[in-house]
Amino acid sequence: MSRRTLSLAVAALVAVGLSGCTSNEPTKDSSSGSGKLAVSSTTDKCELSTKEAPAGNLVFNVTNKGTKVTEFYLLGEDGLRIVGEVENIAPGLSRDLVVRAPAGKYFTACKPGMVGKGIRSDFTVTKSDANLEPTGDDKVLADNASTQYGSYVKDQTEQLLTQTTTFVGLYKSGKDDEARKLYADARMHWERVEPVAESFGDLDPKMDLREADLEPGQKWTGWHRIEKDLWPPKSGYTKLTPTERTTIADQLLKDTKTLYTRTRTAKYPTDKISNGSKELMDEVATGKVTGEEEKWSHTDLWDFQANVDGARIGFEGVRPIVKKKNAALDSSIATKFTALQKLLDKHKKGTGFKLYNELTPAEIKELSTGVNALSEPLSKLTAAVTL
Amino acid sequence: MSEEQPTDGEQVSADRGRLSRRRMLGLTGTGAAVGAATFAGGLGIGRATAAEPAAPPTGTSRTYPFYDAHQAGIVTPAQDRLHFAAFDVTTTSREELVTLLQAWSLAAAEMTQGRPAQAEETSYDSPAADTGEADGLPASGLTLTFGFGPSLFRDAQGKDRFGIADRQPKELKRLPHFPSDNLNPVRSDGDLCVQACADDPQVAVHAIRNLSRIAFGTAEIRWSQLGFGRTSSTSKAQTTPRNLFGFKDGTANLKAEDTKDVDTHVWVGGQDDPAAAWMTGGSFLVTRRINMHIETWDRTSLREQENIIGRDRPHGAPLSGGTEFSEPNFTATGRAKEPLIAMDSHVRLAHPTTNKGAAMLRRGYNFTDGNDALGRLDAGLFFLAYVRRPSTQYIPMQMRMSREDTMMEYVQHTGSALFAVPPGAKQGGYIGQNLFT
């Protein structure tokens, strides 16, 4: 389970406009050829080291030398369209704004105290050799990605609800064999959209907490509580009574319904989708490939596959944007998804997979290497889709 | 505590009568001359002419007295290297245990001054009294700090092991299970511990090796940990180092110079626990081996890293603004009234204001123990913290952090122990003497 997504969800919510370029990452792209542009924001001034720069990736290094929290904007010629912005720069701190800017007339603006129109100046981007493909239809692509991903989440949570309903029914009525059969398959729908499910901080601990994550006195509920009862340790474990089973099962179903309701209307900006893909692979790296997630059932490879599915869908959604902006990254990620899937396919068994404890150390290492190979380029996806 | 606290990084004895000579010895380096004749030269002499050094001693020539009101290695300016060892006592004899503590104290008093562990002559036909690998090396600021685990007092069945169970401090219990703990029992707990800190790894390892050798037959190493790159500052004269996440660590740590805070938060007071009055002037040491998921951290955007920590990476300034040592402003908000320092950020959750004013003196180290079977770095932070009351300082803070800190996504606690660190030994006495007399 992950708590990291909480802050990301917040970050995504405050991101303005899908074409908003709020990367903190200085770019290695040398197309602008001119290093960083220094911006000094004080209470009543907004000074730039230069009034013009060649087209390409521009890096504004904004330092807040005033006493109030400030923001910096690069605005289009009409003074309305936000080309890029960086927010929440506290006094004394510096932040980079990286934007891809074609030749034209712009405005820069510092906004000390984050109110009003800001302190504006003219800014000119001159023609250069930098290869800047038109970016005007980015918003359409981003909207498409968002819509597609939203549908995917809706579909997965719907299937999750259906399967969970069946699963808890079997479990409550003591049909343990059938419940065990359904466990891993039902959970795949959860694992495919894990970053979304986890962004609801109240639900995640109730639904997906592992025994090791418990604190003293905390009530253990959710999937893994049932997992342990269905695959009990050989000694030192007392199976839950029918009454206890009912309580745990009803709680899981109730929480699943809440998740279902909340995901009907949730929105997914592109950076949230791309970050979600990266996080899913982090989940694989820290929990699934180590066999820590499904300690009792050993069905880690089902979760593994589902995380990869979710990451791939997220990637495919934003792919038209990446293809345009960074074709090399796009092909690297695509190739590595294929390679990792091949590795996973080796362990398919019937409609499912081998159990984690049937894998050899060499096979686990091979999977881990595949995860690393994919995760590295995937970690650059967000910067690529937001720039 | 009424004793005068150190006012700079130098360990100052409360006993002013003996102070000047001992201090002079330490500063001039002549005390180290037996084991390290080559080093007693230039540096030390220059030092000796300065009546009261304004800054803590630096460089490998520095020495700290072993016999003192408090044990060295707690408020001592954190050295660069660590070798920490926890021991299981193998004897059932109280007498042998006391003999070990006496022998350890003598050896520690020698080694911290840059001399061999045992001075006596030995036959050419027997092993040398000292293992020899630190010969010719300066004292390198070596400190040796000893502690007692709860299992020294009572065994797993609660039985009194050495007739000291009635003196077990009420604060000395195994640490509770914290959420997400994945503890390796062979890297946790222990009856005795020794923290060896020095600016030269060879000196720290030499010390543990010789103490371990002295202990054979009475105690044996249960687990040990090497550390490099101190991850905190314990003196205002030190710059703030970085942990393996690349962030400055220990900015807000208690510093030796803050003697009032150190009295409040580190040293056990005379009235704290009447049954364990022998702990007066001592402290409690929490050790936690914290593995870092280095690879996933390195794939995380700088934006997210800074939000998790709550400080900026280049300077260590809080995200509410200012410079490294600016006090974080947790009420400051940015766009959409979101707090500039996230609610689940490390700096907010670790801050005394979030923890009923609780603070601690950390002196942790980075570690890398090679790699694991999946090719990932087996690396992280070996956390060491000295507190007066674990039950109100470390435990509630860690409970909150394990539950809420977003950084937990990138770390896993793999070892854990708590030790009672007695006060310093008097000249001619030994560590823990008040416990056994």
Side-chain angles (χ1 to χ4, degrees), chain B residues 341-356:
Chain B
I341 299 177
M343 298 308 288
D344 50 10
S345 66
H346 191 68
V347 70
R348 184 186 289 266
L349 292 167
H351 199 268
T353 53
T354 318
N355 294 284
K356 298 180 180 160

Side-chain angles (χ1 to χ4, degrees), chain B residues 401-426:
Chain B
M401 304 239 269
S402 289
R403 200 167 47 215
E404 298 172 30
D405 189 352
T406 34
M407 194 200 280
M408 290 301 293
E409 194 63 37
Y410 296 92
V411 301
Q412 192 168 56
H413 290 235
T414 52
S416 176
L418 180 67
F419 299 98
V421 174
K426 290 198 177 72

Side-chain angles (χ1 to χ4, degrees), chain A residues 1-4 16 22 71 73 85 87-88 90-91 212-213 215-216 278 282 285 292 365 372 375-376 379, chain B residues 177 179-180 296 299-301 303-304 317 319-322 334-335 338 340 373-374 376 402-403 406 409-410 412:
Chain A
M1 68 153 235
S2 157
R3 273 154 254 156
R4 172 171 13 106
V16 169
T22 53
E71 297 175 334
Y73 291 83
E85 48 130 16
E87 61 193 17
N88 291 347
D213 297 329
E215 58 194 273
K278 174 207 159 291
D282 281 356
E292 286 168 56
K365 176 84 199 293
N372 281 332
S375 299
E376 199 54 38
S379 69
Chain B
H177 171 89
S180 307
T296 44
R299 287 176 201 134
T300 302
S301 71
R303 177 202 301 277
E304 192 179 339
L319 293 185
S320 54
R335 182 79 73 82
E338 283 296 328
L340 289 176
L374 297 179
R376 306 182 296 189
S402 289
R403 200 167 47 215
T406 34
E409 194 63 37
Y410 296 92
Q412 192 168 56

